[in-house]
Amino acid sequence: MRYLPLTDADRQAMLATVGVETIDDLFSDVPKDALNPDLKLPDHKGEFEVERHLSAYAKKNHAAGDGPFFAGCGAYRHHVPATVDHIIQRSEFLTAYTPYQPEIAQGTLQYLFEFQSQVAELTGMEVANASMYDGSTATAEAALMARRITKRNKVVMAGGLHPHYAEVVRTNEELIGDTVLQAPATPGAGAVLDMIDDETSCVIVQSPDVFGFLRDLEGITEKAHARGALVVAVVTEAVSLGLLKSPGSQGVDIVVGEGQSIGNALNFGGPYLGLFAARQKHIRHMPGRLCGETVDADGRRGFVLTLSTREQHIRRDKATSNICTNSGLCALAFTVHMSLMGGKGLREVATLSHESACKTADALEAIDGVEVLNDTFFNEFTVRLPKNASQVVDSLAEQGIIAGVPGGRLWPGREETENLLIIAATELTQDSDIKALASALRAAV
Amino acid sequence: MRYLPLTDADRQAMLATVGVETIDDLFSDVPKDALNPDLKLPDHKGEFEVERHLSAYAKKNHAAGDGPFFAGCGAYRHHVPATVDHIIQRSEFLTAYTPYQPEIAQGTLQYLFEFQSQVAELTGMEVANASMYDGSTATAEAALMARRITKRNKVVMAGGLHPHYAEVVRTNEELIGDTVLQAPATPGAGAVLDMIDDETSCVIVQSPDVFGFLRDLEGITEKAHARGALVVAVVTEAVSLGLLKSPGSQGVDIVVGEGQSIGNALNFGGPYLGLFAARQKHIRHMPGRLCGETVDADGRRGFVLTLSTREQHIRRDKATSNICTNSGLCALAFTVHMSLMGGKGLREVATLSHESACKTADALEAIDGVEVLNDTFFNEFTVRLPKNASQVVDSLAEQGIIAGVPGGRLWPGREETENLLIIAATELTQDSDIKALASALRAAV
Amino acid sequence: LEVPLLFEEGSYEKAGVDLPQPSGTKSRLGDQGAEHAPHLPAFTEPQAMRHFVRLSQKNYAIDMGIFPLGSCTMKHNPRLNEKMARLPGFADLHPLAPEKTAQGALALIHELQDWLCELTGMPAVAMSPKAGAHGELCGMMAIRAAIVAKGEEKTRTRVLVPESAHGTNPATAVQCGFTVDKLPGTEDGRVDLEAMKAKLGDDVAAIMVTNPNTCGLFERDIRAMADAVHEAGGYFYCDGANFNAIVGKARPGDLGVDAMHINLHKTFSTPHGGGGPGSGPTVLSDALAPFAPIPAVVKEGETFRLIEQEEGDFADSFGRMVAFHGQMGMFVRALSYMLSHGADGLRKVGEDSVLNANYVRVRLAEEMTQGYPGPCMHEALFSDKWLKDTGVGTLDFAKAMIDEGFHPMTMYFPLVVSGAMLIEPTETESKASLDEFCDSLLGLAKAAKAGETERFKNAPYFAPRSRLDETKAARQPKLRWVEPEEGAMAAE
Amino acid sequence: LEVPLLFEEGSYEKAGVDLPQPSGTKSRLGDQGAEHAPHLPAFTEPQAMRHFVRLSQKNYAIDMGIFPLGSCTMKHNPRLNEKMARLPGFADLHPLAPEKTAQGALALIHELQDWLCELTGMPAVAMSPKAGAHGELCGMMAIRAAIVAKGEEKTRTRVLVPESAHGTNPATAVQCGFTVDKLPGTEDGRVDLEAMKAKLGDDVAAIMVTNPNTCGLFERDIRAMADAVHEAGGYFYCDGANFNAIVGKARPGDLGVDAMHINLHKTFSTPHGGGGPGSGPTVLSDALAPFAPIPAVVKEGETFRLIEQEEGDFADSFGRMVAFHGQMGMFVRALSYMLSHGADGLRKVGEDSVLNANYVRVRLAEEMTQGYPGPCMHEALFSDKWLKDTGVGTLDFAKAMIDEGFHPMTMYFPLVVSGAMLIEPTETESKASLDEFCDSLLGLAKAAKAGETERFKNAPYFAPRSRLDETKAARQPKLRWVEPEEGAMAAE
């Protein structure tokens, strides 16, 4: 029981101070028959036994770094400098609490301010919050925010929105009786424009979209604004912001995104990092934690959590959202990695990732029966195979190659997409990986 | 050039301040033809490229944890709690300098004081220093210290002293013209007693010795002291101190040892941790850094490096040794691990290690042609095989089993030991490992 | 030591990363390529290290001292857990990796599910919620789905929430389309059972009760409450923020609860990380289990499967509440913690956390006023009655604790006690640590009573910052760095 | 915050490790078993974490600020190197693992050897020395072995060492059985070439010269010195502690050096770790290479071999100076650093370190007195002349720097300058950092000259401790904790 400092002698002495005889005297409010249940669980284990147990699980997985790897669709494998992991493991960051006591939390607060500034700049927006759970929940929160601003009850989603994101929006919106529409999920199509009407609170558009296409946000924004609807831009690959026109520069109202790919590992899906940026005028409608600059009693610059009257612990049933946690440590990882790269370094990483994807597309296009569908893409694109892509992915996995994400995984049971394979590359993709993929794919189709 | 903060603009501005035109103006004292040599070395690489390069090397090694593992002979694989590595990676410990400025180095100094106290208690001695390079160099330093104390020039080494240690003593002693004698390296023999005479400065005895035998230090001490010689006890497996009578309790004058097996990894031989403990009366003859308790100007307890008049930076050519580095961070790892175990926990680890070794010996004794030579041992013992042990070890290595250290490795070209195999076990040795070893060995002999 | 902002220290020329040269492949960005890099400065590596290390030194953390925060369970975070979460098999695994290549990860999630179900006595658990409040949302969504399934969604819209509840409770209820009705408390700090019963009816969807409650007390009538709400056709949501007090000692499933979130970052020691990431798996009763969200991990024979659509047992799922399958990194840490403690250790966790809180309660009661009489669970509540007429308020007292080297306790919560001070020491504090803490607080209390107001009024004096102007921050929100003048940008 | 000793806080009952139960196997310890466990207390894990984290906070470190220590090259320590050294293939590899199972490790050592040889222009390198002074020992042992091989060991016993040398130089010479003869310096801070020549003779085994020297200056006459000592039948040992100034810019092998150690923990960024472990590979000329110590790594075809006995090319080896093969952990870190910098980056290291030092020299010369005129290499030397009549000494000034948030520079070394202050900023300090440092020191210097002696006399005022009583520590050495009274032991 290496985590429990009390000795038996301590316990006896403390019980005496408290004035009870046994520990269970302190649990007297618990119904007798429910106290001290017989748990069908093993007893405590030493550290190396736990290590063995968990390592055995870890070894049963094929890590992305174990071979050629091309999966994306909202989670990307970029290189994270060792400095990032070192800093987020500093006791003072790792084991700190939410910075409600700003006098002794300036470390956390200042990096949150730096994070917000970085996210605002990258998205081309005026303000950003201190992070959300992940990209998908940030998207749902954006829809709710648009609802609060426009007081309308209809959400329109582009067909290229990541289906998981779309489902999360739907789950949250339908709960409160709103209408949620999505254009068909088909590579290249842009039917969303026709769905915008005067009841639309917001249009949600992802770019690069889930198939990898780069979307014209400006056109959509024009149309939406004309109808009084807001535009929520979704970015699932934060690195793309290093090379693409920012959503903010194209006039959108809210930008949400998944920040995992800067500073954070794949982690089988979590913890991730929701990015949330908006226009200054809407800040009081924004969900999530915000860090702001102020001064202390001695006039020195300092940072605090602010506008908390939007939040549940003050506002209770009138809060902008029920959220009370951000992804602090993931935001720190983002900030440190982003600070090491700067805008210039991010652009370099983005360029290398784009080039890797271009090379991969070139190699696959040369295969008979494989069709690259994208006219544009950043680091991810879609190919149509002559057969079911899930089967191909499974068969390549047996050769140690993670070939990408098959359509059947994202849209189960939908015929139009089952032969599609979505393929991502990053600066870590090596020429030898591309060769291995191409040759295995050639053999498989 | 991610480690170099100066920008080109900085460099120009600074050159101007300095008053020179080019950087090479500052290198004008270097002979012209030697300046800016053409280096046949590659240019700088990004972090992930370096990672790939070095990981490729790492993957070509068979790590101890990759399979059944029974090597020892001065380096042992025990479990190290994750807390240990976390703490030694704290910036404030990892990137601190030697604590010459005690006002801002109490962190380092206090753990060194705790380390010295732990080592003194474990060895049963009165004082210990703040660590040496490793066990072998500590042994050589002990011989030099005995020489300073006794003013005699003859070192006698027991046959069971690790041959590498014996060679290090010899290299150092013969350099200054001293005589070095070693009893024959034969399991179980103790001929060293007869070699002690009135010119002997010290007797160096290892227990458990390199074959794993536990030595009667008391008897040797009696004989040595009668002749005016000192006894240096050598411990190459620090964990043994948790279960065995301490050398100090048996009257020896100096205890040296290898502290690696507490808190430190195998590291292919280094960095390791030399332990050095002695009697209070000899402290001014001790080599290495010492940390002592004192008070500050405000009367508060504090720690400083002390007795530095023994050391090279003060004493120059009259110093007790030329050493000016210890193994600070390894000592910290030792201290943290030891603090987590306490005496009780260390005894438990030692007991489990001993039991693993007993079980291994039992399993091997059952094999025809394999003879366990030890009557006593702690966690390491020697078997005689019917054939060359090096060949057997190599053949088991191909099956993924590191069977131990063959005699031919330690005493190359010596016939008496070439069939010997020295086998160690620890708390990490699993029953399945023992089974695998026994069955592979049965097949190999 | 002042630490400038990245934007003041960094450079637009150098960076802390080195990358291979691009090969100049033809771009496929169409017209979406940006002409310039984002205008963000960089640090070289040594500058970044020093910047963030110096920043870190302005923080307080559990590794430095006690965090006596009620309702927040700031316990020791074992580093073994960090190490395990970083094994490449977990950290470098893609969420959409083929099922066959992630069997170890799925098996781990499945084992964690078993532990959570057994520890809570509940038949099912939803793993995807990303934090405590998200877990609440999950539970309330399941309740809503159950009501919809019964065709009662138009009528069952009211949720009963005690006055003392966490703010997330009412916020969550509203986010699920419910209205909130406040439940009054009794004089001994618990839900008023009779008053609750009086509020029950056909329109009540659920009660949301924290147990142990936010006053640090166990709801004695919990079974009667559960029975009553069930009888009225509603559900019992239990806020699990305070599960630490009863882990191993009592199980919500044995007490009539229908849904409860579990903060892995509280009870199961995954680090708070300055405010996240959390993880909030939600256990569900048989009545709610069919509505659990997807994705979910199930075992079929020797194979683990990830259910990603509404099918089979999950045909009635209320849907997906997050992309992917939850906080894997936190799952690894939590299971590592559970395996380390085992059933015997976890029971001790509950016991020691309660013992520590009661010890603090009794020791501090020497000078301070207990919120409610009698023993507490894992947190001790005090009111500010004892500060009356001293000129020192709860906030002042708490800020003065900073100068003593401690993080303040939770203040002004729960709202049912005047100037509340809520202290939760957790089981990972030693007796020596508690004594140091109590001695210090008793000393401060005496000073307050002795009229040493200066020590409190402008506290803290010895922190990196004195009290910050929160009003200014809210009135003139400055949420990001802005280039101070045009001239500075010319440098780029 | 005061941190008690482990012995005052720890317990003899609880521990921070959990271990399986022993099975009760019959002991084979004979009569050597101890009856009791060693009398050492333990921390549970949360206690240990807090103890050591709190202790760490009393340290200054390179990650917090500049370490302007002459001759110590405290540069940024990249964390990539730490990560690489911890790969199981390196960290979990036994030194006596069969050669075939350690080919990657041997290949890495071999590549590092190539880098060190190429960077120094030397044909051979001994990898096993464990630290700088150990590397010196290695070099001098090789020289001694060469002398023995020529049958001159009885006559060649004198070693010439400049007055300004590091203390390790004379200590090492003596440890190798030599006597030490001091070499005088010139007025411009270098070895007096003529005086040196005058001291040469048949009895001179070697000269030991640091270059750049401890005054921060390059020995202009280095080739003439080398020629002279070689002509006299002696060898040239170069102390490589200051190699950082010329790495990539000049090679000892091109200047006539026979042996030089390389501090991997200085030039090649392996962390100092509060005083160790270091690593001191020693490069050797053709004349000394045959005497290099074992073990050694060689390449035979595609296979790497570890030479562990005097055989083949190593038949004349002077023997083994350490068990096993040196500081593998440091080798990984150093190679990681070298690969990261490359040839181009390493040259910039030398250049920037020299530029930074000269910048500091020129800026501080505004108030302080340069030790010797003209530009310096990577460290700037000042004397205490400028403090004359201020009542403030070098030590006072240095201790006052602590209050400004800096680690003091090297003081009173080299001995050839009165009240020396030796400043080495290293190349990993930014211009902003140097300006902050210089501004602060200039401010202090003005204060000293303005007679603000109080600011210096008892400095530091704002450190965890004020000046410590070193005399008491040495007169009444207390080197370990001792149980304060008998009663306390009864508790166990």
Side-chain angles (χ1 to χ4, degrees), chain D residues 123-379:
Chain D
V125 58
M127 297 302 289
S128 63
K130 290 267 186 180
H134 209 219
E136 286 181 34
L137 194 59
C138 175
M140 295 306 286
M141 280 176 166
I143 288 171
R144 171 120 192 147
I147 289 169
V148 170
K150 288 197 271 185
E152 299 182 339
E153 71 270 25
K154 298 271 188 255
T155 50
R156 287 206 182 266
T157 55
R158 196 153 52 94
V159 170
L160 307 183
V161 180
E163 294 171 315
S164 61
H166 296 120
T168 48
N169 294 172
T172 301
V174 169
Q175 200 159 337
C176 290
F178 296 118
T179 57
V180 173
D181 192 2
K182 274 190 205 161
L183 275 179
T186 62
E187 281 195 3
D188 68 351
R190 292 166 173 91
V191 171
D192 186 329
L193 177 63
E194 293 314 314
M196 184 197 106
K197 283 184 179 166
K199 280 183 182 270
L200 289 173
D202 285 354
D203 63 337
V204 168
I207 57 170
M208 297 183 83
V209 172
T210 309
N211 191 35
N213 70 25
T214 60
C215 301
L217 305 169
F218 193 89
E219 294 286 353
R220 288 184 200 116
D221 299 323
I222 183 163
R223 275 189 178 152
M225 290 158 62
D227 291 346
V229 73
H230 288 153
E231 202 171 318
Y235 297 90
F236 185 172
Y237 185 85
C238 181
D239 181 323
N242 293 342
F243 187 53
N244 205 59
I246 57 168
V247 60
K249 295 293 288 181
R251 312 195 302 172
D254 298 339
L255 302 167
V257 164
D258 290 301
M260 183 182 88
H261 75 270
I262 298 166
N263 298 92
L264 296 186
H265 52 286
K266 294 180 181 175
T267 314
F268 298 109
S269 83
T270 74
H272 273 248
S279 182
T282 302
V283 287
L284 299 170
S285 65
D286 281 322
L288 297 181
F291 309 104
I294 52 163
V297 176
V298 299
K299 189 172 181 183
E300 291 178 0
E302 288 309 299
T303 305
F304 295 91
R305 282 202 52 217
L306 189 64
I307 307 296
E308 291 183 287
Q309 56 182 318
E310 288 89 341
E311 58 171 346
D313 287 349
F314 292 85
D316 293 330
S317 163
F318 70 70
R320 182 183 284 270
M321 58 188 307
V322 65
F324 313 132
H325 3 288
Q327 307 285 64
M328 182 65 182
M330 303 300 139
F331 298 163
V332 180
R333 289 171 174 88
L335 185 59
S336 173
Y337 174 86
M338 289 177 189
L339 291 167
S340 294
H341 267 306
D344 54 341
L346 289 171
R347 179 162 296 169
K348 279 273 179 236
V349 165
E351 292 181 357
D352 284 358
S353 72
V354 169
L355 179 57
N356 275 358
N358 277 285
Y359 182 73
V360 167
R361 176 181 61 79
V362 168
R363 286 215 53 198
L364 294 186
E366 228 178 81
E367 297 288 343
M368 296 163 59
T369 321
Q370 256 187 249
Y372 296 99
C376 61
M377 295 303 286
H378 70 316
E379 41 192 12

Side-chain angles (χ1 to χ4, degrees), chain C residues 159-245:
Chain C
V159 170
L160 307 183
V161 180
E163 294 171 316
S164 62
H166 297 120
T168 48
N169 294 171
T172 300
V174 169
Q175 200 159 340
C176 291
F178 296 118
T179 57
V180 173
D181 191 5
K182 275 189 207 163
L183 276 178
T186 61
E187 280 195 5
D188 68 351
R190 292 166 173 92
V191 171
D192 187 327
L193 178 63
E194 293 314 311
M196 185 198 104
K197 283 184 180 167
K199 281 181 182 272
L200 287 173
D202 285 353
D203 63 337
V204 168
I207 56 169
M208 296 182 82
V209 172
T210 309
N211 190 34
N213 69 25
T214 61
C215 301
L217 305 169
F218 193 89
E219 294 287 354
R220 287 185 201 117
D221 299 323
I222 182 161
R223 274 187 178 153
M225 288 156 63
D227 291 346
V229 74
H230 289 152
E231 202 171 319
Y235 297 91
F236 186 170
Y237 185 85
C238 180
D239 181 323
N242 292 342
F243 187 52
N244 204 58

Side-chain angles (χ1 to χ4, degrees), chain C residues 271-333:
Chain C
H272 273 247
S279 183
T282 302
V283 288
L284 299 169
S285 64
D286 281 322
L288 296 180
F291 308 104
I294 52 162
V297 176
V298 299
K299 190 173 182 184
E300 290 178 0
E302 289 309 298
T303 305
F304 294 91
R305 282 201 54 214
L306 188 64
I307 306 297
E308 292 183 286
Q309 55 181 316
E310 287 89 340
E311 58 171 348
D313 287 349
F314 291 85
D316 294 330
S317 164
F318 69 71
R320 183 182 284 270
M321 57 188 306
V322 66
F324 314 133
H325 2 289
Q327 309 284 62
M328 182 66 182
M330 303 300 138
F331 298 162
V332 180
R333 290 170 173 88

Side-chain angles (χ1 to χ4, degrees), chain A residues 1-2 4 6 8 46 86, chain D residues 13-14 18 45 57 79:
Chain A
M1 312 233 175
R2 57 194 182 274
L4 299 175
L6 296 188
D8 283 339
H86 180 82
Chain D
E13 191 182 329
K14 304 265 320 186
D18 290 314
E45 198 179 286
Q57 292 175 328
R79 289 314 184 279

Side-chain angles (χ1 to χ4, degrees), chain B residues 330-371:
Chain B
C330 303
L332 175 59
F334 180 103
T335 303
V336 178
H337 192 188
M338 202 52 234
S339 300
L340 287 167
M341 292 191 290
K344 200 161 143 268
L346 179 66
R347 191 173 170 100
E348 287 170 28
V349 172
T351 302
L352 291 170
S353 299
H354 180 56
E355 290 195 342
S356 291
C358 290
K359 282 188 230 167
T360 310
D362 289 345
L364 301 191
E365 266 173 337
I367 302 172
D368 266 357
V370 175
E371 181 193 357

